[in-house]
Amino acid sequence: YFQGDKAEAFGLVDRLKEAGSRFVKGAVLHDINMGCEDSQSTTYQTSQGETVTESYREVIERHILPLSDSKEIYGYARQQGLEIVLSVYDFEGVEHALEVGASALKIPSSNITHYPLIRYCLDKKLPVIIDTGRSVVSEIAKAIEIVATAKHADFILQHSPAGPPAPLSKHNLRAIGAFR
């Protein structure tokens, strides 16, 4: 998330390539009206450890990127030989991810109950990563049930505690065994 600064995005791609990375992870956030209510707030920790609470809409607005800019940035990443993994929030975002050559689609934890989106992603025959985030067990179980009934089920269940970045005290590695 480079907050709309394309020069920063291209620089990030270059630094990833120089560091030997094989992947770029990004998101297709192109429409502020993808479920952002003005009344919702979110709390997160900054990289300096400061706890911040602010309007969820304001957070998302900083990350909105026109699809044309996204296409340019991820096209550059592909030219550099990097694979692309994109978080998707809506059907248009899935189609855009396919257009820019994504190697995998990620369902962010905020969309783990968006079952039509999960099914749509699974139908695209790419690996699908489902982030558990702040989900409850019943939400995770339903998402896994959808994957199990799909004809194509190449997926990763990503265990991630609230955050990010979450302090080490919030990580529960026993959850991985429970999910298995």
Side-chain angles (χ1 to χ4, degrees):
Y1 298 109
F2 42 87
Q3 299 185 18
D5 184 341
K6 287 192 333 185
E8 176 66 24
F10 288 118
L12 176 60
V13 169
D14 290 338
R15 290 190 302 278
L16 287 168
K17 176 71 174 173
E18 290 168 13
S21 178
R22 295 178 32 224
F23 295 90
V24 170
K25 163 54 181 80
V28 183
L29 278 170
H30 61 96
D31 182 0
I32 191 60
N33 297 312
M34 291 189 293
C36 287
E37 298 175 17
D38 291 331
S39 62
Q40 292 177 315
S41 66
T42 187
T43 302
Y44 60 91
Q45 280 190 315
T46 67
S47 58
Q48 294 80 29
E50 176 187 1
T51 301
V52 176
T53 299
E54 68 177 307
S55 158
Y56 187 64
R57 184 178 186 91
E58 289 174 4
V59 172
I60 297 302
E61 283 177 343
R62 287 196 303 271
H63 297 91
I64 294 293
L65 184 68
L67 293 178
S68 58
D69 290 351
S70 174
K71 186 175 184 177
E72 187 178 343
I73 292 163
Y74 295 121
Y76 179 70
R78 297 285 295 168
Q79 288 173 358
Q80 300 305 309
L82 298 173
E83 299 291 328
I84 304 165
V85 177
L86 292 173
S87 290
V88 293
Y89 296 82
D90 64 357
F91 301 115
E92 186 177 2
V94 173
E95 292 304 317
H96 179 73
L98 296 172
E99 182 181 334
V100 299
S103 299
L105 303 172
K106 182 176 180 233
I107 303 294
S109 59
S110 60
N111 276 355
I112 197 167
T113 59
H114 190 334
Y115 306 127
L117 181 64
I118 294 172
R119 286 184 190 98
Y120 193 74
C121 288
L122 289 166
D123 286 345
K124 300 306 175 188
K125 309 289 190 242
L126 289 177
V128 175
I129 301 165
I130 299 177
D131 185 349
T132 60
R134 296 178 184 148
S135 307
V136 297
V137 173
S138 61
E139 293 169 337
I140 297 165
K142 178 67 177 175
I144 292 171
E145 180 183 313
I146 290 168
V147 170
T149 60
K151 292 178 181 168
H152 170 78
D154 189 7
F155 88 106
I156 296 169
L157 186 66
Q158 177 187 336
H159 168 62
S160 37
L168 289 177
S169 63
K170 298 291 183 183
H171 290 261
N172 178 6
L173 297 181
R174 289 187 181 119
I176 295 170
F179 292 155
R180 184 175 292 135

